[in-house]
Amino acid sequence: MPASRSVFFLSDRTGITAETLGHSLLTQFDGIEWKKHYASFLDSPAKVRDIVDRINTAAEQEGRPPLVFSTLLDPAILVSIRQANCYLIDFFESCLGVLETALQQPSVRIPGRSHILGQDASYFRRIAAIQYALNSDDGNNSKVLADADVILVGVSRSGKTPTCVYLALQYGVLAANYPFTPEDMGRVRLPPLLQPLREKLFGLTLSASRLQAIRAERYPGSHYASFVECQRELQWQSELFQQFAIPSIDTTGISIEEISASIIDRMRLERRLYGT
């Protein structure tokens, strides 16, 4: 049975940075079952006292100090957290000091700077991109598809829609998708709607067994979810990708983050996370 250990993610704002960075570090350690605790918007003495009590309780119950990942900026709050029985990993403290030395000026240490909408026009671009992804889902409108930065193509249930939404949410990419239908599979050719948009196409594929499992969750026992049908559709798709030199990625066993990063890199798309 894996060892169990508590880990806390603390922030005076959303906590996304602390959780993301902390999780990335924890993936490098095997054989531990992490009991995760989250505390965002730590901006009052009462909230700080409560989280310190929770940290100390976890340390007492488990017989060892829990890990604490922090992006807290308020010095007074940090003093209280440091007094708790824990191992503190302070992301901002370890990085800001280096930057202050390199840039020869002090940081302003204002919480939430990365979430101030008026200073980040890319936020609104990402909202627009999400709306586009939803409006162009299973796209059959050539005018809408023409506006896309990238068009994901693949057989039904190959992960196109969630990848489009992730690309929009994280990077502000206008991502549309086109699902291949039985009508498209009569012969190995690009559907007419996609022919003028060939340079924007990126294919998603996966193993037949994985596709069958996904389809069977929704339509158990159907011809659509049979292994033979999944295998047939993927074979047709493979021939199409090869004949028309459509870049593609096998999504079997990899995360949506990796899929999206690969698409961004290989299609040379502009990332719109920050800036104007």
Side-chain angles (χ1 to χ4, degrees):
M1 185 174 179
S4 178
R5 189 155 188 174
S6 284
V7 56
F8 288 77
F9 302 91
L10 310 185
S11 175
D12 39 29
R13 297 299 293 174
T14 65
I16 294 172
T17 302
E19 183 179 354
T20 301
L21 293 176
H23 180 266
S24 295
L25 293 174
L26 294 181
T27 60
Q28 302 302 312
F29 297 89
D30 296 328
I32 303 174
E33 181 180 321
W34 298 105
K35 296 164 60 177
K36 298 176 182 178
H37 309 264
Y38 305 92
S40 54
F41 298 101
L42 283 174
D43 52 9
S44 72
K47 290 180 180 179
V48 174
R49 285 194 298 271
D50 178 68
I51 198 63
V52 167
D53 287 344
R54 288 170 58 191
I55 291 170
N56 288 336
T57 298
E60 184 177 352
Q61 291 177 343
E62 297 174 13
R64 53 189 169 185
L67 304 183
V68 173
F69 292 107
S70 163
T71 54
L72 295 164
L73 283 169
D74 188 317
I77 294 177
L78 279 168
V79 166
S80 297
I81 299 302
R82 287 194 177 96
Q83 291 173 350
N85 186 11
C86 66
Y87 292 110
L88 177 63
I89 300 93
D90 187 342
F91 291 120
F92 278 171
E93 189 63 31
S94 59
C95 296
L96 285 177
V98 175
L99 287 171
E100 286 171 342
T101 300
L103 301 176
Q104 297 185 347
Q105 71 177 68
S107 59
V108 294
R109 295 180 182 258
I110 298 176
R113 267 282 177 101
S114 62
H115 302 289
I116 298 175
L117 301 188
Q119 294 185 2
D120 189 3
S122 68
Y123 174 85
F124 297 102
R125 290 199 188 101
R126 285 184 281 140
I127 294 299
I130 294 169
Q131 190 64 55
Y132 175 84
L134 297 175
N135 290 342
S136 62
D137 190 33
D138 292 348
N140 56 14
N141 186 315
S142 59
K143 185 176 180 180
V144 172
L145 290 178
D147 293 332
D149 296 319
V150 62
I151 302 169
L152 303 187
V153 293
V155 300
S156 173
R157 310 301 292 176
S158 56
K160 299 179 299 300
T161 297
T163 304
C164 284
V165 173
Y166 187 88
L167 284 167
L169 176 63
Q170 292 296 322
Y171 300 111
V173 168
L174 296 180
N177 85 73
Y178 181 96
F180 294 130
T181 65
E183 291 74 25
D184 294 325
M185 299 178 191
R187 55 180 172 156
V188 180
R189 67 163 191 169
L190 275 178
L193 195 63
L194 299 180
Q195 289 174 10
L197 303 169
R198 183 170 160 183
E199 298 303 315
K200 295 186 176 187
L201 304 183
F202 192 97
L204 299 187
T205 189
L206 67 172
S207 70
S209 58
R210 178 60 181 152
L211 180 61
Q212 180 192 28
I214 294 171
R215 289 182 173 185
E217 287 180 3
R218 199 165 194 178
Y219 302 102
S222 65
H223 172 72
Y224 167 77
S226 70
F227 183 79
V228 171
E229 176 62 15
C230 292
Q231 200 170 39
R232 183 190 72 81
E233 292 183 22
L234 289 170
Q235 179 60 37
W236 174 88
Q237 176 175 273
S238 177
E239 293 174 9
L240 183 81
F241 289 169
Q242 185 173 1
Q243 180 170 323
F244 292 94
I246 297 172
S248 64
I249 185 172
D250 187 331
T251 65
T252 308
I254 64 174
S255 68
I256 195 169
E257 293 88 351
E258 292 175 284
I259 296 166
S260 300
S262 180
I263 293 169
I264 290 280
D265 178 62
R266 293 174 61 185
M267 297 296 284
R268 299 184 179 180
L269 299 175
E270 179 186 354
R271 297 168 179 251
R272 302 187 182 103
L273 280 82
Y274 306 104
T276 57

